[in-house]
């Protein structure tokens, strides 16, 4: 039928199959995609309201898929936030305009004087924490059984360690455990699983 055989895949669903030593080089592709999207829009013709919608609904969503599996380095998170801030404040003849508000204030909620933009690193941590929570609440899923057999066959995920030669994604999932355990609580429900005294 003329179909070519591929011996190896460099990407699957937009994510690299193999992570090598330098994670920044691989994840830098995300920055490039955000940059291309920003440059594709004519910022001088957009009102502040349109820019806000574009940043929140398009630009900040681009890295969300890769961020749900891998921890993006802080430097790349800051680079994305910096690009979005420059786009928000605009530029004239290639020179950036004055930024009237710091990025920290821009990331605060609107009801306390901010603009409500995402803190990329915190959003990244929450997405990885969601993966941990899924493994905690659904241990019999396919990915849960695979990770259980590889990293914590004799323990629960609560007491598991990174193990021997862990994958990059597993290390990221375990790194979010403290955050999840900090906010975890019992939900009584119908009381069937609550031990009686």
């Amino acid at each position: 039928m003329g179909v070519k055989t591929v011996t190896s895949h460099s990407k699957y669903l937009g994510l690299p199959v193999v992570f090598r030593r330098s994670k920044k080089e691989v994840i830098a592709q995300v920055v490039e995609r955000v940059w291309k999207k920003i440059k594709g829009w004519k910022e001088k013709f957009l009102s502040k309201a349109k820019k806000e919608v574009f940043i929140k609904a398009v630009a900040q969503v681009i890295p969300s898929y890769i961020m749900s599996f891998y921890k993006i380095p802080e430097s790349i998170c800051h680079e994305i936030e910096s690009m979005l801030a420059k786009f928000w404040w605009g530029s004239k003849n290639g020179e950036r305009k004055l930024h009237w508000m710091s990025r920290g204030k821009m990331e605060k909620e609107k009801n306390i004087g901010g603009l409500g933009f995402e803190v990329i690193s915190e959003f990244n941590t929450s997405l990885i924490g969601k993966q941990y929570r899924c493994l905690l609440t659904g241990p019999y899923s396919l990915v849960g059984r695979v990770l259980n057999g590889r990293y914590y066959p004799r323990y629960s995920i609560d007491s598991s360690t990174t193990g021997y030669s862990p994958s990059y994604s597993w290390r990221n999932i375990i790194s979010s455990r403290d955050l999840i355990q900090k906010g975890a609580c019992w939900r009584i429900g119908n009381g069937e699983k609550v031990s009686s005294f």
Side-chain angles (χ1 to χ4, degrees):
M1 293 179 66
V3 178
K4 293 181 181 178
T5 304
V6 178
T7 53
S8 63
H9 297 277
S10 59
K11 285 185 180 179
Y12 180 70
L13 296 177
L15 296 177
V17 175
V18 178
F19 266 73
R20 292 184 174 76
R21 222 172 256 270
S22 177
K23 309 297 183 288
K24 287 184 181 179
E25 287 178 18
V26 177
I27 299 175
Q29 297 168 11
V30 175
V31 180
E32 190 179 335
R33 284 176 58 203
V34 174
W35 176 248
K36 282 181 181 175
K37 188 64 77 173
I38 288 173
K39 293 308 283 182
W41 286 62
K42 302 291 185 186
E43 58 181 278
K44 57 184 175 182
F45 298 124
L46 295 176
S47 66
K48 288 291 184 190
K50 289 177 183 176
K51 282 185 181 181
E52 181 181 349
V53 170
F54 171 73
I55 289 171
K56 290 180 180 177
V58 180
Q60 288 184 336
V61 176
I62 289 171
S64 62
Y65 184 65
I66 194 167
M67 285 195 308
S68 61
F69 300 100
Y70 301 113
K71 183 75 175 164
I72 294 180
E74 290 283 336
S75 59
I76 290 185
C77 291
H78 290 317
E79 192 176 341
I80 294 171
E81 289 168 356
S82 179
M83 281 192 309
L84 296 177
K86 284 176 187 173
F87 174 74
W88 171 257
W89 295 110
S91 60
K92 190 174 183 180
N93 300 326
E95 293 182 8
R96 75 174 205 165
K97 290 184 180 177
L98 182 63
H99 291 206
W100 293 99
M101 188 184 292
S102 68
R103 269 203 332 250
K105 287 183 180 177
M106 289 173 71
E107 291 161 351
K108 288 182 179 177
E109 294 177 19
K110 284 189 171 183
N111 59 356
I112 55 172
L115 294 171
F117 293 143
E118 292 282 356
V119 180
I120 303 288
S121 58
E122 290 178 6
F123 184 53
N124 188 193
T125 304
S126 67
L127 287 174
I128 293 171
K130 186 178 177 184
Q131 298 298 328
Y132 179 84
R133 189 184 124 286
C134 288
L135 291 171
L136 188 64
T137 56
Y140 301 110
S141 64
L142 179 60
V143 71
R145 285 181 287 160
V146 169
L147 292 174
N148 182 302
R150 171 70 175 89
Y151 295 111
Y152 53 101
R154 294 187 228 56
Y155 313 101
S156 67
I157 193 170
D158 296 5
S159 54
S160 62
T161 59
T162 50
Y164 173 73
S165 186
S167 68
Y168 185 54
S169 57
W170 175 247
R171 275 183 285 154
N172 293 329
I173 290 170
I174 287 299
S175 72
S176 68
R177 178 168 49 197
D178 291 340
L179 177 68
I180 297 299
Q181 289 178 345
K182 192 181 193 181
C185 63
W186 275 98
R187 181 174 290 174
I188 300 300
N190 59 11
E192 285 182 6
K193 295 182 180 179
V194 179
S195 45
S196 57
F197 296 99

